[in-house]
Amino acid sequence: MTTQLQQRLFLYSATVSDVGTVRSNNQDSSFAGEHLVAICDGMGGHAGGDTASTIAIRSLAHIEQHDSANNVASIASMMETSVMAAHDAIVGKAKRERALAGMGTTVTAVALIEGYWVITHIGDSRAYLLRDGKIRRMTQDHSYVQHLIDTGRITEAEARNHPQRNVVMRVLGDFDIDPHPDIAIFRAQPSDRWLLCSDGLSGVLENDTLEQVLTDFPTEEECAQQLVSMALKAGSTDNVTAVIADATLALDADSFDLPHQTPLVGGAASSSLEAIADIIKEPVASSPALRLGKQSPAQRAAALTHSTSDTSGNDEPSDSDLPSLPPEPGAHQISEKSEEKSDVTGTIVYVAQPSAVRDENDEKANMDTSEIPVVTKKNGRVSADPNDPEVARVIRRKQLQERQVNRRKRNRGRIAVIISLLVALAAILGVGFGAYRWSQTKYYIGTSGQTVAIYQGVNTNLFGASLSHKVESTDIKLSKLPQSWNDELSEGITVNSLEEAHSHVQMIKKEAKTLDKSTSEDTPWPWKNQQNGQQGNSGENDAEPAENDPDTAGTLVEPFEKMMDEQAGNE
């Protein structure tokens, strides 16, 4: 039992990340330390995926500084809290910067604490464990095709070519889905080897291939280099990232210096080395670039630039040139005073010191950790651990300030909407009032029931309100007017003043009287059938004089008889 207690496991790790042959930028982020290894595969556009995966790595990085003084349960709680803090930070940043809306990231992380592995996982990045020469997949994809596999609708082989194989059902970020990660704890064993990778690697390489490479390549970086290169040669069109971590046994930790390595940061998060160095309070380095195969377009361009400046005149870069190539342009934005070193393979890496060292060297610190605050505690130490009470208070204060800012923005938005509505209403009322004032300078003659009337205004409606009202009625009956007059009055005869309206009414009245007189006056027709509107008298002779008609007796009969007498005298 005593021997078992003296056996302490240490973690050696390495990571390699490459942009791939198709993508224009690397949205993967990785971390390889002595206590923590992690892989995050970002999504959400050119800038969104970079930002989301970087935030997740920064949120988890503080676990690297925790050693055996922390028990397994507390580290498991910290990992879950850190993942949730990353989710809140990603959502908050996406809401403030609409160009980042819809960004998210997967998270797969493993920590070695007190001889136990603690795993946290969400999304479709994977963690494989090689133990006793056999590979085991230790995570379950939170993806649509995995759901189809679990329900027996497709096979593992069919899932590789399924058109929706990249659809994730759980992920951190600006989505309405459950962000709580899976957590697992189990005992570690000496010689355990971990592979953490993005789907750009696991989507193209079979388990047998992974097992063979993990077995054949003893060093962590060499194994990671080989896996990334093989994935690109197999046709991966995504970013490809691999993290290799080995559990190493030290029988007597007091007999020699403890194993130590500088934590490595790969992919998009390598642009934040100084911030991560401040979080873990020790130097961190950029991960080595991919050396095998020259699959990265950025590396090919860098290699071409390197070859053109070669005095030997050799235009074709050889594989021997690649170990000295710098990482991809823009991937490592470190201050000029950050150290630049070469590892054992000759690959240039960038090392960032924590703020305490930078202050001694009079270097300007970059404290931007993108939503995860870095707090200088009362004792002078710097912390970015979401579980630290002082950091938690800063996070709550920051969230409160953000809510207040958002509340003020919403209030200003509501006030702006109200003002706009009031201005629009005032404009409508102004137009309506102006139209009404103008209408009241006009008059028209129209109908009111069965008579003619004078109206003030115009014969129309505005927003359902009439712009006229009757001011005078007349005794002119519409039935006494011809149809043409009735048609004009129904439309309204417009005039410019009340006096003009009176004049027009008098004309209508005069015309009505004239028409009424002409239709009612008797006409001296000599025949009955032409009298009173040419009404016929059936059964009588049409040529018979109207001798008995009292209306024509004095005017028609006597002249007729006189004319007959005169004709007789002449004969």
Side-chain angles (χ1 to χ4, degrees):
M1 185 67 177
T2 303
T3 303
Q4 186 177 2
L5 290 175
Q6 290 178 346
Q7 293 180 344
R8 182 177 177 187
L9 293 175
F10 296 88
L11 193 65
Y12 278 109
S13 61
T15 179
V16 173
S17 183
D18 192 78
V19 69
T21 59
V22 176
R23 299 294 180 90
S24 61
N25 69 320
N26 196 344
Q27 300 187 32
D28 290 353
S29 291
S30 59
F31 183 91
E34 294 180 302
H35 301 287
L36 173 74
V37 289
I39 170 70
C40 300
D41 185 354
M43 62 196 70
H46 188 278
D50 301 359
T51 303
S53 65
T54 300
I55 290 175
I57 291 294
R58 289 172 172 178
S59 184
L60 288 165
H62 70 94
I63 296 172
E64 173 67 15
Q65 66 180 316
H66 294 284
D67 54 21
S68 59
N70 294 275
N71 59 50
V72 177
S74 66
I75 293 298
S77 177
M78 285 181 185
M79 292 182 76
E80 182 177 12
T81 302
S82 299
V83 171
M84 296 303 297
H87 170 74
D88 294 341
I90 292 169
V91 172
K93 193 170 184 67
K95 287 183 178 179
R96 283 186 294 276
E97 301 180 32
R98 298 313 303 171
L100 301 177
M103 69 174 177
T105 184
T106 68
V107 174
T108 301
V110 178
L112 176 61
I113 303 295
E114 284 292 295
Y116 284 88
W117 297 117
V118 181
I119 309 175
T120 183
H121 167 72
I122 185 170
D124 62 352
S125 296
R126 291 184 178 180
Y128 295 90
L129 176 64
L130 182 71
R131 175 177 287 184
D132 299 329
K134 298 296 182 181
I135 192 171
R136 306 175 186 177
R137 199 175 104 192
M138 305 302 294
T139 56
Q140 185 83 349
D141 291 349
H142 300 142
S143 64
Y144 178 65
V145 294
Q146 185 64 50
H147 170 72
L148 297 179
I149 294 171
D150 295 341
T151 55
R153 297 166 66 181
I154 62 174
T155 64
E156 289 277 0
E158 292 172 334
R160 289 189 176 278
N161 297 315
H162 196 280
Q164 294 176 307
R165 60 186 177 276
N166 294 324
V167 177
V168 291
M169 300 179 69
R170 286 176 58 196
V171 71
L172 292 189
D174 190 22
F175 309 101
D176 187 18
I177 52 181
D178 180 16
H180 289 84
D182 296 340
I183 302 290
I185 302 172
F186 61 96
R187 183 172 290 278
Q189 293 184 8
S191 74
D192 280 352
R193 168 168 276 196
W194 285 95
L195 164 63
L196 275 58
C197 61
S198 59
D199 61 345
L201 190 149
S202 61
V204 296
L205 298 183
E206 299 289 344
N207 286 0
D208 292 343
T209 302
L210 299 178
E211 182 178 286
Q212 187 67 41
V213 174
L214 291 172
T215 303
D216 291 347
F217 291 85
T219 65
E220 294 84 10
E221 182 185 340
E222 186 181 5
C223 185
Q225 290 274 355
Q226 186 67 25
L227 286 170
V228 173
S229 177
M230 291 178 67
L232 294 175
K233 290 179 180 178
S236 178
T237 59
D238 202 350
N239 307 141
V240 182
T241 302
V243 181
I244 304 297
D246 291 331
T248 302
L249 181 63
L251 295 178
D252 187 0
D254 297 327
S255 63
F256 54 87
D257 292 337
L258 296 178
H260 178 73
Q261 73 166 68
T262 300
L264 299 176
V265 180
S270 61
S271 63
S272 303
L273 289 185
E274 290 183 355
I276 296 175
D278 289 335
I279 293 172
I280 67 175
K281 305 180 183 67
E282 63 178 276
V284 296
S286 61
S287 65
L290 177 65
R291 301 190 309 275
L292 304 176
K294 298 183 294 184
Q295 295 297 317
S296 169
Q299 286 180 309
R300 289 197 295 269
L304 182 61
T305 303
H306 179 75
S307 66
T308 55
S309 62
D310 193 346
T311 56
S312 65
N314 181 17
D315 294 334
E316 182 64 27
S318 63
D319 288 342
S320 62
D321 295 326
L322 293 177
S324 63
L325 294 179
E328 298 168 16
H332 310 294
Q333 301 171 359
I334 311 302
S335 66
E336 295 179 357
K337 296 185 178 181
S338 297
E339 300 180 32
E340 184 177 294
K341 297 182 179 180
S342 297
D343 62 8
V344 293
T345 64
T347 302
I348 296 176
V349 295
Y350 294 84
V351 180
Q353 300 292 338
S355 58
V357 178
R358 295 199 304 270
D359 291 342
E360 291 178 2
N361 296 334
D362 195 27
E363 295 182 23
K364 184 178 180 180
N366 177 15
M367 301 299 287
D368 177 21
T369 57
S370 186
E371 311 302 318
I372 305 297
V374 176
V375 177
T376 302
K377 305 177 66 173
K378 295 180 180 178
N379 58 11
R381 298 184 64 187
V382 178
S383 176
D385 181 0
N387 297 278
D388 189 310
E390 294 187 33
V391 176
R393 282 195 295 272
V394 173
I395 292 176
R396 287 194 297 270
R397 190 182 308 120
K398 186 177 180 180
Q399 291 175 344
L400 179 61
Q401 291 173 350
E402 290 174 357
R403 286 196 293 269
Q404 290 174 346
V405 170
N406 291 334
R407 190 180 301 112
R408 285 195 292 268
K409 287 182 179 179
R410 288 195 298 270
N411 291 338
R412 287 196 295 267
R414 293 191 185 102
I415 292 173
V417 171
I418 293 173
I419 292 175
S420 300
L421 291 176
L422 290 176
V423 170
L425 181 60
I428 293 172
L429 292 176
V431 171
F433 182 73
Y436 180 78
R437 287 286 302 272
W438 171 82
S439 69
Q440 298 310 297
T441 63
K442 303 295 181 179
Y443 292 85
Y444 72 92
I445 304 167
T447 62
S448 176
Q450 298 299 318
T451 60
V452 177
I454 299 175
Y455 291 85
Q456 183 178 8
V458 292
N459 189 19
T460 188
N461 294 332
L462 182 64
F463 305 120
S466 176
L467 295 182
S468 64
H469 61 281
K470 185 170 65 175
V471 293
E472 289 184 17
S473 298
T474 70
D475 56 356
I476 304 173
K477 294 183 178 181
L478 297 176
S479 59
K480 298 296 184 179
L481 298 176
Q483 187 60 40
S484 59
W485 280 90
N486 279 272
D487 293 340
E488 286 193 45
L489 289 170
S490 64
E491 294 293 332
I493 301 173
T494 303
V495 293
N496 292 322
S497 64
L498 184 60
E499 291 76 12
E500 188 176 345
H502 287 153
S503 175
H504 211 91
V505 165
Q506 291 300 321
M507 183 186 68
I508 294 173
K509 186 180 292 186
K510 182 177 179 182
E511 291 293 330
K513 288 182 178 180
T514 302
L515 183 62
D516 183 59
K517 181 178 179 181
S518 64
T519 56
S520 62
E521 196 175 56
D522 292 331
T523 302
W525 296 105
W527 317 113
K528 281 187 177 182
N529 65 331
Q530 293 177 325
Q531 185 181 355
N532 296 330
Q534 299 182 1
Q535 295 178 359
N537 187 7
S538 61
E540 297 182 3
N541 190 348
D542 291 341
E544 181 180 344
E547 298 180 13
N548 299 322
D549 191 341
D551 294 330
T552 60
T555 58
L556 296 178
V557 176
E558 291 178 0
F560 182 77
E561 291 177 350
K562 185 178 180 181
M563 180 184 66
M564 296 297 292
D565 292 342
E566 290 177 354
Q567 290 179 352
N570 293 333
E571 290 177 357

